[in-house]
Amino acid sequence: MSWPHIPLSADPAAFPARPPDDLSDPATIAAHDQAAFDAVGTMVDHWDRPGWTAQTRAYYWMLTFPDSPVLADLARRCQQHLAPLGLDLVPDDGLHITLTRVGSAATLPLSRLDDVISAATPLLPAAFRLRAVPLAGSRGAVRLTVAPWVPVLALHEALSEAMTPLGLTPRKPTALFRPHLSLAYNNRSRPAAPVIEAVTALRDLPPVDLHVQEVQLVELRREGPSYRWDVVKSLPLG
């Protein structure tokens, strides 16, 4: 399939702040992610998010991987090496790629979710393949690079386009979206160097390929040091 060209913008609030030069080449994207993480001096607490409580519920579009044993195996191999750092490890059934927030469960009735689903369905792109590459991170997490970015950006743009006429504006435009798949969340302020050292040792692990055939609308919550969700609707990609 010929994917649309979606230009990305540099932004200090995004990570990496500057997008990679090539959005299609896994090696280029992985090297860019790794260089950005290697330049981090201090990691921050991922869970320090004002407004999120144990009672918070919100709807998100996500990619989930409940039937990918190769991804779960790669995640566990990385997490075993990372365990001494005291990070909050993502369980097998918690592995995901966040696409975009739809809205608060407290303000969106189920009838509005039906509208969201109906608007998104005809705009969804074709199924695609991703490569999950060890290993990089951000200021608040350790994560796998996912590549190529081009089909994920097309999916993000389609979901955003579907939401806009409904008065639901994504918090992050596609131009600032940086696809990734987190394996562990940092839970306190700390020097990044020991984490970078541990991550670097895992970069020779072989990547795994993922076949993305569906996108999930979920109701997301936090349970202790992890994200959990209930799937509202899983939509097949074209």
Side-chain angles (χ1 to χ4, degrees):
M1 175 176 176
S2 178
W3 298 99
H5 173 67
I6 301 174
L8 299 186
S9 303
D11 189 300
F15 196 94
R18 181 178 60 82
D21 294 331
D22 188 332
L23 304 181
S24 297
D25 180 53
T28 299
I29 296 169
H32 184 76
D33 277 357
Q34 292 167 8
F37 184 53
D38 291 351
V40 172
T42 302
M43 296 189 70
V44 300
D45 184 355
H46 172 84
W47 305 112
D48 184 14
R49 295 172 180 264
W52 267 98
T53 70
Q55 288 72 46
T56 300
R57 302 290 186 272
Y59 297 114
Y60 279 80
W61 286 110
M62 292 178 16
L63 300 176
T64 66
F65 304 94
D67 301 313
S68 180
V70 293
L71 177 61
D73 181 65
L74 175 61
R76 285 193 295 267
R77 293 179 68 185
C78 293
Q79 290 168 343
Q80 287 170 3
H81 186 78
L82 298 171
L85 295 169
L87 302 167
D88 294 327
L89 305 179
V90 178
D92 291 356
D93 61 353
L95 297 168
H96 67 280
I97 299 173
T98 301
L99 294 169
T100 188
R101 186 179 187 273
V102 177
S104 168
T107 59
L108 279 180
L110 292 178
S111 59
R112 291 281 280 161
L113 293 186
D114 290 338
D115 294 338
V116 169
I117 293 165
S118 296
T121 299
L123 300 180
L124 294 178
F128 54 88
R129 292 189 180 276
L130 287 179
R131 179 159 292 176
V133 184
L135 191 63
S138 66
R139 289 178 288 266
V142 171
R143 58 202 203 183
L144 296 167
T145 292
V146 291
W149 280 11
V150 174
V152 192
L153 296 173
L155 177 55
H156 186 283
E157 186 173 65
L159 295 171
S160 299
E161 181 182 343
M163 290 163 54
T164 300
L166 302 175
L168 301 170
T169 304
R171 287 183 173 177
K172 184 178 295 185
T174 304
L176 302 183
F177 181 49
R178 307 289 191 261
H180 62 274
L181 199 162
S182 293
L183 299 185
Y185 295 113
N186 187 55
N187 48 31
R188 64 182 184 276
S189 178
R190 72 166 90 202
V195 183
I196 293 170
E197 181 180 5
V199 162
T200 301
L202 296 167
R203 289 176 179 167
D204 289 333
L205 290 175
V208 300
D209 291 330
L210 308 171
H211 192 193
V212 180
Q213 301 180 79
E214 296 178 323
V215 62
Q216 288 75 37
L217 177 62
V218 307
E219 184 184 271
L220 186 70
R221 63 188 184 277
R222 276 174 50 181
E223 290 183 3
S226 64
Y227 291 112
R228 311 302 286 173
W229 59 82
D230 295 312
V231 176
V232 176
K233 186 71 173 181
S234 187
L235 296 180
L237 299 182

